[in-house]
Amino acid sequence: MGLVHGPNHPLVLLAKWYEKFFGRLSHLNLCVTNAMREDLADNWHIRAVTVYDKPASFFKETPLDLQHRLFMKLGSMHSPFRARSEPEDPVTERSAFTERDAGSGLVTRLRERPALLVSSTSWTEFEQLTLDGHNLPSLVCVITGKGPLREYYSRLIHQKHFQHIQVCTPWLEAEDYPLLLGSADLGVCLHTSSSGLDLPMKVVDMFGCCLPVCAVNFKCLHELVKHEENGLVFEDSEELAAQLQMLFSNFPDPAGKLNQFRKNLRESQQLRWDESWVQTVLPLVMDT
């Protein structure tokens, strides 16, 4: 509200007073980061309990057969998902990343496939990035979401002359978004948080799909993205480009960092939203 109307707008001042006054009177306050909990205690004199956002149960790794179906579906509308070459067997079904054997129906990944990078954005001035495509490996970058500057940034993207990068900006059906995250090789997050006190839900969803992430750094990001453990943190476009070169230099590389990050995410056995509610929030509510 303050970003839209300014910090001294009457509605903003009223909302701030309302939250500050009544927040002190409640029996229980919940917040989504330790940084927010400390800010509430220091500046508002409100005690709160940190309950981190968790992904819904449908954010999970996508089986290879479903990946192929998704790629074929998206390929009918977006050229980066289409096969780079025709299969030798004309009955074989091929996307840019996978192919289905005509006889057995078995789906396999293509050895020479590009890497699939996904970024979800609200297309605002708070999520900006200028990336030079030179010297980057073969990538298909899928940028999802809608927002006020979508057309502006789409025009900038199409003006670029990337050597090895294909970009598409689809508007996905709700059920296809988690399937895409569960099929991707890397997620990129440009969210910087206007307050610096909350965490990007898009990364929570990506981690639910065991998808490693490169995320732009801000105040409390370390509470979610563990640098060199479940992803990488960058400060600017140059650092992101260097990270992409490093992560995809020998793609697909079973021994590379991407697979190690994914392995760490699998082993972390993250709670889902409903599980977190039952284990963390419900006992607090019952005790009040």
Side-chain angles (χ1 to χ4, degrees):
M1 190 184 295
L3 290 174
V4 174
H5 300 292
N8 297 318
H9 191 279
L11 278 177
V12 176
L13 296 175
L14 177 62
K16 186 174 182 179
W17 171 85
Y18 175 89
E19 293 179 5
K20 192 170 186 177
F21 179 80
F22 287 101
R24 295 173 181 173
L25 302 179
S26 63
H27 292 97
L28 175 64
N29 292 294
L30 304 177
C31 62
V32 294
T33 63
N34 289 332
M36 185 178 292
R37 185 193 65 199
E38 293 165 5
D39 182 78
L40 287 170
D42 295 342
N43 300 317
W44 296 56
H45 305 295
I46 292 175
R47 294 180 61 186
V49 177
T50 302
V51 180
Y52 288 112
D53 282 320
K54 298 296 179 182
S57 58
F58 50 79
F59 284 100
K60 57 187 177 183
E61 292 185 80
T62 304
L64 191 55
D65 183 67
L66 285 181
Q67 289 186 32
H68 179 73
R69 278 192 249 169
L70 176 67
F71 296 151
M72 295 303 295
K73 176 182 177 180
L74 293 175
S76 67
M77 299 172 283
H78 305 285
S79 60
F81 288 92
R82 296 172 194 156
R84 304 302 191 262
S85 61
E86 293 299 322
E88 294 180 5
D89 184 343
V91 185
T92 298
E93 190 179 62
R94 180 180 289 178
S95 72
F97 310 94
T98 54
E99 68 177 9
R100 184 191 298 276
D101 182 77
S104 66
L106 181 68
V107 175
T108 56
R109 292 185 175 90
L110 297 176
R111 180 177 297 180
E112 300 298 325
R113 69 186 184 276
L116 178 57
L117 183 152
V118 176
S119 182
S120 175
T121 178
S122 51
W123 300 101
T124 67
E125 63 270 25
F126 302 106
E127 295 180 292
Q128 297 185 39
L129 188 71
T130 302
L131 187 62
D132 186 350
H134 296 293
N135 301 318
L136 288 178
S138 179
L139 296 174
V140 171
C141 298
V142 182
I143 307 174
T144 69
K146 62 180 180 179
L149 299 179
R150 185 176 187 272
E151 293 302 320
Y152 169 75
Y153 283 116
S154 294
R155 287 195 300 271
L156 287 184
I157 290 169
H158 289 302
Q159 289 171 9
K160 296 284 185 179
H161 299 286
F162 295 131
Q163 292 183 353
H164 308 292
I165 299 177
Q166 291 182 288
V167 180
C168 66
T169 57
W171 175 246
L172 296 173
E173 296 176 18
E175 63 269 22
D176 287 341
Y177 178 64
L179 293 178
L180 180 65
L181 293 188
S183 305
D185 298 298
L186 179 69
V188 171
C189 177
L190 308 179
H191 174 87
T192 55
S193 175
S194 56
S195 67
L197 301 174
D198 63 333
L199 294 169
M201 195 66 204
K202 62 195 73 178
V203 174
V204 174
D205 294 338
M206 289 173 179
F207 282 171
C209 296
C210 296
L211 178 63
V213 169
C214 288
V216 64
N217 196 21
F218 64 91
K219 181 179 177 181
C220 65
L221 183 68
H222 65 277
E223 295 189 42
L224 178 62
V225 181
K226 312 298 183 185
H227 187 65
E228 294 283 357
E229 182 178 325
N230 54 20
L232 298 172
V233 177
F234 62 89
E235 300 289 344
D236 52 36
S237 302
E238 288 73 21
E239 189 171 10
L240 173 59
Q243 290 175 355
L244 295 179
Q245 288 175 322
M246 180 269 294
L247 291 172
F248 294 124
S249 59
N250 295 310
F251 180 84
D253 180 10
K257 281 196 173 185
L258 271 180
N259 274 357
Q260 184 59 54
F261 294 159
R262 194 182 293 272
K263 180 174 180 287
N264 293 341
L265 285 165
R266 287 171 180 155
E267 293 175 350
S268 66
Q269 298 181 333
Q270 309 166 72
L271 289 178
R272 299 296 163 160
W273 189 91
D274 53 343
E275 296 170 330
S276 176
W277 176 267
V278 171
Q279 294 186 28
T280 308
V281 181
L282 190 58
L284 295 172
V285 175
M286 297 298 290
D287 289 341
T288 57

